[in-house]
């Protein structure tokens, strides 16, 4: 939670950055951002700037972590020490990053067809170069694109966004200031085909009704997010198709 | 060595004997270099450098801290390099490897020795100085991280803004937004890294060449003098070779200094 005086987050139906309660920030995804990776993408989600890259499947090492039935996923989410407007951060995993890495890994354990690759590991790296609230959601969203571009078979393309509450008003896609001062924050990741929840975290206070309402808001925003994800995945192939049309 | 049997090694050796390189360069050519500054506006300074397929991001943060015991009137500089596992199949998560430590220290030495930052301008009051953190993030590895890292770090410093310290009573608050001046710099440093590939010195070795070269030397210089050097790997250079490479370094650094000025909007 932020220190100092609490700013007025919601005024005359508008948020500090001019958005309405259910507006997403602008999202832009650049596919194939890291040349060495098997799949990668870069996302700008508002002021968040994040890279996701996938290496694998490859032999899981050390050997004792291998699962003879299916692939394992190793995920590392990390924030760059220069990613925030505040003080220089500390390098390496902290408790927050460790937890986010774990829940992100679990999202992809759901989405990836792991039993195609027994004994293998799939490495997913998410590097937050600049953060402005909602980095785990943006990270999962861009990681989906990176995973799909790596060619690893998936049963669905998960997306993620958070819902929060200011006073008694629900707002979608919290930025950093809203995240610091809101009354509740609930990051959610969904599998769009089934509308199953694959990540759910929450802190603050929400009534049962508000949670229900929040989930509807997420699914509505999900249509936009999914469309941007699919366009990013298709883009490199469309460029190739364009070249061969001539 | 086992590498003698390697297909890629044989291929590079064959090319080298014909005086050629895989991407068509001559021995003393750089790959294409591009610098973009202020790519991460939350940081006080930032720059992304691409050198062929090598991609490096440097972020500069400035904060308040205590001065070093031996330099009470100067600010601090801390340089770190991260070989991110997303940058290469062969990088692993974990504490900095010896390669990452060497990379950060060589870049740090060039910047420090060339007085790129005006360290005395970072003095705030007794026992309180500004600290400059440079983090060099390797985003895609394809050789010559030393030169790409030095370029990114220098360009990020040259384009960095300087926070303000405001003192109310005993409490100092740092102002990082709004109308700010620039970080005070005094000089520009660049580096040229050479590899020795099957007996021949080459400039700007790429990822494949680095796997087979047996010596490496980095020369960091400004307009007039050499500011830092580092020889690496098990092989060696003759004094004559080093002499020639120094000439190349001074020659090649002119263009890089111009690129930094342009990227920093000077």
């Amino acid at each position: 939670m932020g220190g100092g005086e609490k700013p007025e987050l919601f005024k005359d139906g508008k948020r500090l950055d001019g958005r309405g309660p259910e507006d997403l920030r602008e999202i832009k995804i650049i596919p194939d951002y890291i040349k060495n990776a098997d799949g990668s993408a870069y996302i700008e989600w508002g002021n968040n700037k994040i890279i996701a890259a996938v290496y694998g499947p490859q032999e899981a090492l050390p050997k004792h972590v291998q699962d003879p039935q299916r692939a394992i996923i190793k995920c590392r989410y990390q924030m760059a020490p220069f990613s925030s407007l505040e003080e220089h951060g500390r390098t390496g995993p902290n408790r927050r990053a460790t937890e986010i890495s774990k829940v992100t890994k679990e999202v992809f354990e759901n989405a990836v067809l792991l039993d195609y690759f027994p004994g293998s590991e799939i490495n997913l790296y998410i590097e937050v170069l600049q953060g402005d609230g909602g980095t785990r959601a943006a990270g999962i969203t861009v990681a989906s694109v990176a995973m799909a571009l790596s060619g690893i078979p998936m049963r669905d393309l998960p997306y993620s966004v958070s819902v929060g509450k200011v006073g008694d008003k629900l707002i979608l896609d919290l930025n950093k200031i809203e995240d610091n001062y809101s009354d509740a924050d609930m990051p959610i990741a969904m599998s769009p085909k089934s509308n199953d929840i694959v990540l759910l975290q929450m802190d603050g206070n929400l009534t049962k009704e508000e949670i229900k309402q929040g989930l509807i808001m997420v699914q509505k925003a999900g249509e936009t997010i999914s469309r941007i994800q699919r366009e990013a995945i298709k883009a490199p192939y469309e460029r190739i198709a364009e070249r061969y049309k001539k | 060595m086992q590498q003698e049997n390697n297909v890629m090694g044989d291929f590079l050796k064959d090319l080298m004997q014909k005086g050629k390189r895989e991407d068509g360069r001559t021995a003393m050519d750089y790959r294409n270099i591009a610098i973009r500054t202020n790519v991460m506006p939350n940081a006080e300074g930032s720059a992304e450098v691409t050198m062929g397929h090598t991609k490096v991001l440097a972020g500069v943060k400035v904060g308040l801290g205590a001065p070093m015991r031996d330099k009470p009137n100067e600010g601090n500089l801390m340089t770190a390099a991260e070989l991110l596992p997303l940058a290469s199949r062969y990088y692993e998560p974990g504490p900095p490897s010896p390669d990452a430590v060497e990379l950060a220290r060589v870049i740090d030495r060039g910047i420090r020795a060339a007085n790129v930052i005006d360290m005395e301008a970072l003095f705030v009051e007794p026992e309180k100085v500004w600290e400059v953190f440079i983090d060099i993030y390797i985003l895609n590895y394809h050789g010559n991280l030393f030169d790409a890292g030095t370029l990114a770090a220098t360009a990020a410093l040259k384009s960095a803004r300087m926070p303000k310290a405001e003192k109310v009573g005993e409490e100092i608050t740092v102002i990082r937004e709004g109308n700010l001046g620039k970080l005070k710099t005094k000089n520009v440093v660049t580096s040229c890294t050479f590899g020795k590939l099957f007996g021949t010195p080459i400039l700007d070795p790429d990822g494949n060449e680095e796997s087979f070269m047996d010596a490496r030397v980095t020369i960091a210089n400004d307009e007039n003098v050499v500011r830092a050097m580092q020889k690496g790997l098990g092989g060696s250079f003759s004094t004559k070779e080093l002499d020639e490479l120094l000439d190349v370094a001074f020659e090649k650094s002119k263009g890089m200094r111009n690129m930094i000025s342009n990227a920093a909007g000077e």
Side-chain angles (χ1 to χ4, degrees):
Chain A
M1 295 288 128
E5 212 168 298
K6 182 177 168 172
E8 201 173 347
L9 294 176
F10 204 77
K11 205 177 161 188
D12 306 329
K14 291 264 181 259
R15 290 150 74 175
L16 281 175
D17 56 6
R19 282 186 288 157
E22 296 203 32
D23 289 348
L24 281 167
R25 288 172 280 180
E26 200 183 321
I27 302 172
K28 198 173 92 186
I29 301 177
I30 302 175
D32 291 340
Y33 195 73
I34 303 294
K35 192 165 191 309
N36 285 345
D38 294 316
S40 68
Y42 168 79
I43 192 168
E44 289 191 358
W45 180 315
N47 290 326
N48 290 312
K49 296 172 196 283
I50 302 169
I51 304 178
V54 171
Y55 285 87
Q58 56 204 31
E59 186 187 10
L61 290 172
K63 274 210 147 79
H64 69 82
V65 303
Q66 288 183 1
D67 182 333
Q69 305 298 321
R70 61 189 66 79
I72 58 166
I73 294 181
K74 292 179 179 172
C75 173
R76 190 179 80 148
Y77 159 103
Q78 186 180 250
M79 287 186 87
F82 50 82
S83 62
S84 90
L85 201 48
E86 286 98 47
E87 290 291 294
H88 180 258
R90 292 278 154 247
T91 2
N94 51 31
R95 289 165 63 88
R96 173 181 174 276
T98 304
E99 184 196 343
I100 294 177
S101 302
K102 179 174 182 291
V103 294
T104 302
K105 178 188 85 164
E106 287 158 356
V107 167
F108 289 95
E109 283 175 348
N110 182 284
V112 172
L113 297 174
L114 296 172
D115 42 5
Y116 278 38
F117 308 104
S120 313
E121 67 180 25
I122 295 164
N123 288 286
L124 169 60
Y125 302 110
I126 298 172
E127 295 288 341
V128 179
L129 303 177
Q130 179 159 287
D132 185 32
T135 57
R136 87 191 64 189
I140 289 166
T141 302
V142 69
S144 269
V145 174
M147 192 67 79
L149 285 169
S150 76
I152 292 170
M154 297 163 80
R155 61 172 60 82
D156 206 354
L157 199 63
Y159 66 85
S160 178
V161 66
S162 70
V163 189
K165 185 167 75 162
V166 174
D168 58 358
K169 192 91 192 158
L170 288 179
I171 54 172
L172 186 82
D173 183 20
L174 283 71
N175 65 20
K176 182 81 174 287
I177 300 176
E178 292 171 335
D179 189 17
N180 285 351
Y181 293 100
S182 66
D183 300 291
D185 176 24
M186 179 166 69
I188 289 170
M190 310 268 308
S191 217
K193 271 203 303 203
S194 57
N195 272 330
D196 284 342
I197 298 165
V198 285
L199 173 140
L200 173 65
Q201 297 181 293
M202 189 242 155
D203 71 331
N205 68 82
L206 287 176
T207 65
K208 196 179 151 195
E209 268 312 302
E210 285 168 337
I211 292 170
K212 215 170 130 188
Q213 181 64 29
L215 284 167
I216 294 168
M217 285 166 70
V218 166
Q219 287 173 50
K220 230 169 98 188
E223 290 171 20
T224 307
I225 303 169
S226 289
R227 179 177 49 78
I228 296 168
Q229 285 177 309
R230 283 195 299 268
E231 280 170 6
I233 294 165
K234 275 194 272 179
Y237 299 98
E238 278 170 352
R239 271 202 295 275
I240 295 169
E242 201 62 39
R243 209 182 312 146
Y244 282 93
K245 231 183 259 173
K246 285 172 192 164
Chain B
M1 264 197 266
Q2 218 180 4
Q3 66 193 36
E4 299 291 335
N5 307 324
N6 189 292
V7 174
M8 176 59 89
D10 288 347
F11 172 60
L12 291 176
K13 191 173 179 178
D14 194 42
L15 281 174
M16 222 55 246
Q17 282 163 351
K18 294 176 190 153
K20 286 183 186 168
R21 291 169 80 175
E22 199 187 347
D23 52 9
R25 287 184 286 163
T26 68
M28 292 299 148
D29 278 342
Y30 264 107
R31 291 168 287 177
N32 284 336
I33 301 173
I35 309 177
R36 288 195 303 140
T37 54
N38 285 322
V39 287
M40 298 295 149
N42 274 1
E44 271 73 49
S46 58
E48 187 189 84
V49 168
T50 55
M51 195 174 263
H53 292 312
T54 287
K55 193 191 303 234
V56 171
L57 172 69
V60 169
K61 287 299 285 182
V62 182
L64 283 175
M68 296 291 168
R69 195 77 60 81
D70 58 337
K71 286 183 178 155
N73 301 320
E74 292 185 12
N76 300 329
L77 169 64
M78 270 156 271
T79 311
E82 283 264 319
L83 307 180
L84 298 178
L86 65 65
S88 162
R89 194 173 296 287
Y90 306 103
Y91 290 168
E92 281 170 15
S97 63
D99 284 346
V101 172
E102 184 189 28
L103 176 63
R105 287 179 59 87
V106 171
I107 294 169
D108 182 277
R109 279 208 290 280
I111 289 168
R112 216 178 272 274
N115 303 309
V116 172
I117 305 169
D118 185 346
M119 298 299 269
E120 283 168 12
L122 299 177
F123 179 81
V124 179
E125 60 175 46
E127 292 304 305
K128 194 135 268 175
V129 295
W130 291 107
E131 297 182 298
V132 177
F133 298 90
I134 307 174
D135 288 282
I136 295 154
Y137 255 44
I138 310 306
L139 300 181
N140 197 69
Y141 167 78
H142 199 241
N144 199 4
L145 301 178
F146 289 91
D147 297 355
T150 302
L151 265 180
T154 313
L157 288 170
K158 292 290 279 182
S159 56
R161 58 183 186 269
M162 186 68 206
K164 276 192 247 178
E166 270 194 2
K167 195 165 184 179
V168 183
E170 276 303 291
E171 198 157 325
I172 299 184
T173 48
V174 178
I175 296 162
R176 296 175 181 277
E177 285 177 287
N179 198 9
L180 298 170
K182 281 190 134 187
L183 176 73
K184 258 183 109 180
T185 55
K186 297 204 289 192
N187 200 0
V188 174
V189 73
T190 60
S191 71
C192 286
T193 296
F194 303 89
K196 200 165 178 181
L197 189 63
F198 306 112
T200 309
I202 51 163
L203 176 63
D204 181 27
D206 70 18
N208 292 339
E209 292 167 337
E210 282 199 349
S211 318
F212 294 95
M213 67 189 193
D214 55 13
R216 185 193 71 228
V217 65
T218 300
I219 300 167
N221 60 287
D222 57 22
E223 225 175 317
N224 304 305
V225 289
V226 176
R227 296 294 189 164
M229 290 200 280
Q230 178 93 339
K231 189 245 149 194
L233 306 183
S236 63
F237 290 93
S238 68
T239 50
K240 185 167 164 286
E241 279 168 346
L242 183 64
D243 194 47
E244 287 165 5
L245 298 182
L246 284 165
D247 287 340
V248 176
F250 276 104
E251 181 57 35
K252 294 287 175 186
S253 64
K254 288 179 200 160
M256 288 199 281
R257 279 195 299 275
N258 282 337
M259 292 186 76
I260 291 173
S261 306
N262 291 340
E266 284 175 347

